[in-house]
Every structure is written in structure tokens, then in C-alpha cells.
Amino acid sequence: MKRFGLKKVLSIAIIIAFIFGTNMMVDAASNRIFNDMPHTGDVFADMEKQIDYFREDGDIRDDITVRTLKMHLSGVNLFQKQGQTDKVLKQMQTFKRLLDNQKSNGAISGIAFDVLNTYTQYTIGKINGPFNSDNVMKHIKHLSVDIGPREAGSAAERAGAEYIESVLKSYGYETTIEEAPRSNRTELLLKVLSDNNKIIPLKAVSNAPQTTGDGITGNLYHAGIGQPGDFTAAAKGKIALIQNGGITVGDKAKNAMDAGAIGVLIYDNQDRFTLPTVSLGTVRPNIPVGTITKKDGEAFVSQLSKGKVDVQLSIKTLTNQKTVNVIAVKKPKGIKNPEIYYVGSHLDSVPFAPGANDNASGTSTLMELARIFKDYDGDKELRFAAFGGEELGFVGSKYHIGNLSQDEVNRTKVQFQMDMTGTAWVPASQLFINTVDGKTNLVSQSTHQAAEKLDINKNLLPVHMLSRSDHVPFHEKGVPSALFIWMEPGTPPGAANIEPYYHSLEDKIEHVSPERVQLTGDVVFKAISDLIGFQKNSSKNEDASLKKAS
């Protein structure tokens, strides 16, 4: 399925990215390695840099337009440095009108219009509204960097759930951790014992045996591409490190087995964000086989040139597994059977993906919304639900709504699902409101009304048909629900044209845009506030100031 559509990407971009790092904005024949929105901490400098990129890519028509946009931003930046907040707000509103005009006369493309509008709303939202994307980024860091990949049922998923619960409980919510049964899962471990027990991402190869106990331990043996002549007697009792390509993977495994190897690691012969998927064909080896990235394989080869590399390899199936949900509730005082309003997200990630955008961004957006709504004292019941097991097919959300009483379902008026709310990837320039049937409902209607009040262009928020997240079980119970996710303009119904980091090792915090998180939070906060009648003081929270917009 097509998931991205960058207009001009060099064929060598991914290779360069792995050589030089993952968050570089490098010019190479007018292209960047990662086509991400710049975020250096100076919003006006970032906007000017993005304007230059758009000019290079042809998304801004001419140099006159570039000068016009930059001249306006220079003036706003001066007001910002002087601490003249009111003038910054007024001038950024004027900048919106300037963007409208430039798009109308064809001077800027739709994507340039979308992205520069998002930066503009970020600046306004950081000054004006209670939602603070800085808080969101702190939560994303803890979930995706400090904890890391959060596969459903894993200890890391539970650590994430416990962190989320502790934060929501500190806001005064009644919290519960639910446990939902999930299918058996394969636990994978590749630990470099000779390198401070460093963990290397690993993928198991189907139709090869698993390990027993704590797995196997041995020295690596570099066997080239795995031909018979690549093995010597020294391979016996070792784990064969073999590059993909040249001959079939089945033949590689058979040759390693014949040479007395106790396991096989196939490293990729291409640079990519994901772990390679390979097939053994008709070969059925009696030793475990796994795959690793080209980058990790070549690092092993380099280490072997200097001495021994000792690793532990474990591939085993775990049974009786459970994924976890975090449910936080704020009930109104003295109100019997109140209406219920849900904000949802999923806290799990796919194996070995740090899960920064998918979906620490959505869960952290939920946590920041919960922080603001802790002061709500109206007559509605608020529920914030971070579900586990979404990546397995909505396991946690199905369990949760399946265990609600019919009365609770009937009283549930709406569900806002936060998923991938902050990609920095430029082409995913619109925040899609995804309903299961593609029709408008209370979520999309209230969001569009909120956008109008916030002076956010409604075209940034298209209604789209897409399932693929935890809004689905709510829809199936008759609850108006929608999934919020940044995608490419023009994405066909049922498709998800999203960032190339999706479900990969590259789903890192470096590729999360605070600007897009801010716009998401601003408009969703306003939509829910209007639905439940919440009036929040416009002054910023404890972490916010004009400086936070720069």
C-alpha cells in the first residue's frame, strides 16, 4: 500500500541517512535526507528555513514571494524579541491572511500553505491557549526514549502504562489498569555480551526452530554470503553472521548447519528502516535463524575484524499474555448517569519500533488534554483511555468497550482517538479526521466548528474514511468516533498515506513535530470544551510563556 508520496527523493537518500545519522537536514541536489519540518527551537528561523526548502522544491513560485514571507516573519521575530506578545499575535494573524492571498494567486502550493499555517498556529497556540506541546514532547521522550519499544504484553508496555497512570492520577483522576488477554507472542533477544550487553533489533525467520531456556550463547562467525566455501572448521559451535543476497536464505541456513553452526543471523544487503523479511523456502533447518539490519550486520563485521564478538540469541514463544489499558475517569459531583465523553489513544508499539509518533505522540497528547481538563467541574463524565494491543487489532479497546454496561454505552456521546498526532514529515500536511464510514459525525462537526473559532483553515482538517485504530470498536457500538492522524492531502478513502518511518526502527522522537502536536491539541481541546461546556482560563499553564513559541 502506498504510504507516502514525496515529490523529489534521491534514490540514495536512505543509504546516506544511515551513514550520517537520522535527524540531519542535508542539501543534496536540492533535497533533504529526511523531508521533515525543521524544529531548532527558533520558530521564525525554522519557518524561514522551510520557506527556502519550499522554494527549492518548487512549492513557492518565485523569489519575490520568498522575500515577502520572510520580511513579514522578520518583523514578527523583532516583536517577539521585544516581548510584545500582543503584536506577535496580531502579526501572525495577519500572516495567515498573507498565506491565504499567496495561495489564491498561485504563489505557494497547497502543501506550503498547510505547513506554514501549522507553524503559524503553533506560535499562536503556544501564547494563547492552555494546551502546551512542550509537555507533550516530555511525555513522548519518556515513552519512546527512556522506555522505548512497547510491544503489547511486554514489560515495556506495562512500564508505559504505569507511567501514564501515575501522571493521570497526579491530576486527580480515578485510574484503573485493565488487563486484556492477547494471543501468544514471540519474544526476541539479541544481546551483545562483549559490548556491555547491547541489545540489537532482531526478527525471527519463519520455519526455523526457536531456542530453549535462556537461548544460545556463542561467538559470531562471519560467513560472507553463506556459500559452502565461506565456512571453515572454525564455524563449528558459533553463530553464523551472513549477508543477504547471492544465494537463497534456505541455502545459507543449510550451509551454516552443515558447517556446525548453532545459529544464523542474516544481515540485510539494503539500507532500510525496517528489519528484513526473508524466507527459507523449503529448507527446514534445526538451528534458529534471525535477521538484523545492514547497519548492525556491518557493525558486527567491523568488530570481528578486531576480535571476538560474543552474543546471546533467544527466540521463544510466550503464552498467557496480557496487554494493558489505562483508564482515567473524572465524574461530575451530584449527577446521576451523566453523559460520557472519551478521549482515546493507544500506548503500545510494534516490536522494536521506538513508537515516538506511533503512538507516544497520541498518548502524550491525551495526557496533556487530561492535564487541562482536570479543572473541569461540569455535569459530564470525562474518560481518558490509553489502550494496549491496538497494533494487534484493537485488543485493548475491544476489551474495554466490550466490558461496559449497555447503560454506559448508551451514555457515551463521543470518542476522540489520538493516533500519530505529530509527524514532522512534510508531505503529511493535513490532520485527517477519520471516521469508519467516511461520513461526518459529532467528532468532525465539533472539530470543524472549533477550527473556525480558532481561525484554523478547515481544509487542514479533511474528513476521511479509515479504520485501523481504536475508534473502530466505539463506532461498532454506535458511538460517534474518529481518528486524528496527519496524512498526505488527497489520500484515497480507506488508504493511509503517512510518514515513511511508520512501524519502523526510525519512528523516533527526532521525527515528531511539536508544531503539529500543538495544532492537534488546540483544535481537539476546543472541540471537546465546547461540547461539554468547559471554560478554561486563557492564561498558559505553568510551563508556558512567549519564549516557548521560539
Side-chain angles (χ1 to χ4, degrees):
M1 178 178 70
K2 179 178 179 289
R3 295 188 299 205
F4 47 90
L6 179 59
K7 293 191 299 180
K8 297 190 296 181
V9 178
L10 296 179
S11 61
I12 60 169
I14 303 304
I15 298 174
I16 299 173
F18 276 87
I19 295 173
F20 290 104
T22 60
N23 195 37
M24 297 180 64
M25 303 297 295
V26 177
D27 287 341
S30 298
N31 289 273
R32 276 74 62 201
I33 289 172
F34 293 121
N35 193 15
D36 284 356
M37 296 169 62
H39 182 78
T40 63
D42 184 336
V43 66
F44 301 112
D46 291 337
M47 291 179 78
E48 291 194 11
K49 184 181 292 185
Q50 185 63 66
I51 287 168
D52 288 337
Y53 292 156
F54 281 140
R55 177 71 180 112
E56 292 173 5
D57 292 344
D59 288 298
I60 293 180
R61 183 174 60 193
D62 51 44
D63 293 338
I64 294 175
T65 304
V66 170
R67 286 196 295 270
T68 301
L69 295 172
K70 286 188 174 183
M71 187 179 300
H72 192 103
L73 292 174
S74 295
V76 183
N77 194 17
L78 180 61
F79 289 136
Q80 185 265 336
K81 290 178 178 178
Q82 294 171 347
Q84 299 187 59
T85 307
D86 291 343
K87 289 186 177 180
V88 171
L89 288 172
K90 183 177 180 180
Q91 290 301 313
M92 291 309 282
Q93 292 290 355
T94 303
F95 190 71
K96 283 188 175 185
R97 305 288 80 79
L98 175 60
L99 292 174
D100 289 339
N101 292 334
Q102 298 287 10
K103 184 184 179 187
S104 296
N105 66 29
I108 64 175
S109 70
I111 192 169
F113 176 81
D114 292 345
V115 171
L116 294 175
N117 254 301
T118 299
Y119 275 115
T120 304
Q121 180 58 39
Y122 168 77
T123 307
I124 294 170
K126 290 296 294 293
I127 296 170
N128 249 1
F131 188 93
N132 188 350
S133 56
D134 291 334
N135 295 336
V136 177
M137 296 303 292
K138 291 175 184 176
H139 294 316
I140 293 173
K141 179 182 179 300
H142 186 77
L143 290 169
S144 67
V145 179
D146 300 340
I147 294 176
R150 303 170 303 284
E151 182 184 3
S154 67
E157 186 200 39
R158 183 167 289 274
E162 290 173 352
Y163 170 71
I164 296 162
E165 185 194 30
S166 69
V167 171
L168 298 180
K169 184 176 288 186
S170 74
Y171 298 152
Y173 290 89
E174 298 177 16
T175 61
T176 305
I177 290 185
E178 299 176 338
E179 294 186 341
R182 63 148 291 178
S183 57
N184 295 344
R185 69 183 181 91
T186 302
E187 184 179 70
L188 304 164
L189 176 68
L190 178 58
K191 183 188 295 184
V192 189
L193 304 177
S194 54
D195 189 10
N196 298 312
N197 292 328
K198 181 180 179 180
I199 303 299
I200 302 297
L202 172 73
K203 186 172 187 176
V205 176
S206 298
N207 296 316
Q210 297 188 348
T211 59
T212 59
D214 293 330
I216 59 175
T217 300
N219 294 326
L220 291 182
Y221 174 86
H222 186 214
I225 62 170
Q227 298 188 81
D230 291 324
F231 293 91
T232 68
K236 187 174 182 179
K238 296 180 180 177
I239 298 171
L241 176 69
I242 306 173
Q243 186 178 42
N244 198 20
I247 61 174
T248 68
V249 171
D251 285 341
K252 295 174 192 288
K254 181 178 182 303
N255 293 337
M257 185 173 57
D258 291 344
I262 60 174
V264 175
L265 291 176
I266 305 290
Y267 69 95
D268 209 346
N269 57 352
Q270 299 179 48
D271 284 300
R272 65 182 103 209
F273 295 142
T274 55
L275 290 161
T277 298
V278 300
S279 171
L280 289 167
T282 59
V283 176
R284 296 295 179 266
N286 59 12
I287 55 177
V289 182
T291 66
I292 60 177
T293 66
K294 181 183 179 188
K295 179 182 177 181
D296 287 329
E298 290 177 345
F300 278 144
V301 172
S302 176
Q303 293 170 31
L304 284 168
S305 69
K306 302 170 187 175
K308 293 182 179 180
V309 178
D310 192 24
V311 302
Q312 177 187 357
L313 172 64
S314 175
I315 303 173
K316 59 184 177 182
T317 296
L318 300 180
T319 59
N320 300 317
Q321 295 293 288
K322 293 181 178 180
T323 188
V324 289
N325 301 329
V326 181
I327 312 298
V329 179
K330 186 175 182 63
K331 295 181 179 180
K333 297 177 181 178
I335 304 295
K336 186 176 181 181
N337 299 325
E339 294 180 348
I340 301 170
Y341 292 76
Y342 270 90
V343 180
S345 71
H346 73 88
L347 66 93
D348 63 317
S349 72
V350 295
F352 276 107
N357 192 39
D358 187 16
N359 185 41
S361 68
T363 294
S364 300
T365 298
L366 174 150
M367 294 165 73
E368 174 64 359
L369 290 167
R371 181 192 66 77
I372 306 169
F373 284 113
K374 67 183 173 62
D375 297 325
Y376 173 69
D377 60 358
D379 61 355
K380 317 297 185 190
E381 180 175 326
L382 302 183
R383 295 186 181 181
F384 295 86
F387 297 114
E390 186 266 3
E391 300 292 2
L392 301 176
F394 330 136
V395 172
S397 54
K398 285 180 178 178
Y399 177 87
H400 175 75
I401 200 166
N403 282 278
L404 296 181
S405 67
Q406 189 58 49
D407 174 65
E408 286 178 290
V409 173
N410 293 341
R411 288 189 287 118
T412 299
K413 299 304 176 184
V414 74
Q415 194 254 5
F416 289 72
Q417 178 71 11
M418 304 291 102
D419 199 339
M420 299 178 70
T421 58
T423 181
W425 195 61
V426 169
S429 64
Q430 294 182 346
L431 180 60
F432 280 60
I433 307 171
N434 299 280
T435 59
V436 173
D437 56 12
K439 299 177 181 179
T440 61
N441 61 19
L442 185 57
V443 178
S444 62
Q445 292 163 4
S446 62
T447 303
H448 283 160
Q449 291 167 3
E452 184 176 357
K453 294 175 183 179
L454 294 171
D455 194 26
I456 296 173
N457 192 304
K458 192 174 76 170
N459 293 331
L460 276 171
L461 301 157
V463 177
H464 181 251
M465 183 181 75
L466 187 67
S467 301
R468 292 177 55 169
S469 197
D470 293 309
H471 61 306
V472 173
F474 285 84
H475 170 84
E476 291 173 344
K477 289 286 187 177
V479 176
S481 59
L483 159 69
F484 288 76
I485 184 171
W486 290 87
M487 298 194 295
E488 285 185 33
T491 295
N497 293 357
I498 51 180
E499 60 179 31
Y501 322 121
Y502 173 67
H503 284 187
S504 80
L505 303 172
E506 198 58 37
D507 183 6
K508 300 176 181 178
I509 193 170
E510 291 92 334
H511 301 303
V512 175
S513 162
E515 296 81 12
R516 285 177 172 162
V517 167
Q518 185 70 43
L519 189 149
T520 305
D522 286 344
V523 72
V524 171
F525 165 72
K526 179 61 176 171
I528 297 173
S529 295
D530 288 350
L531 284 173
I532 66 176
F534 178 53
Q535 297 296 322
K536 177 69 177 177
N537 190 308
S538 62
S539 62
K540 292 295 284 186
N541 62 74
E542 62 274 11
D543 290 331
S545 67
L546 176 59
K547 293 180 180 179
K548 292 296 183 181
S550 61

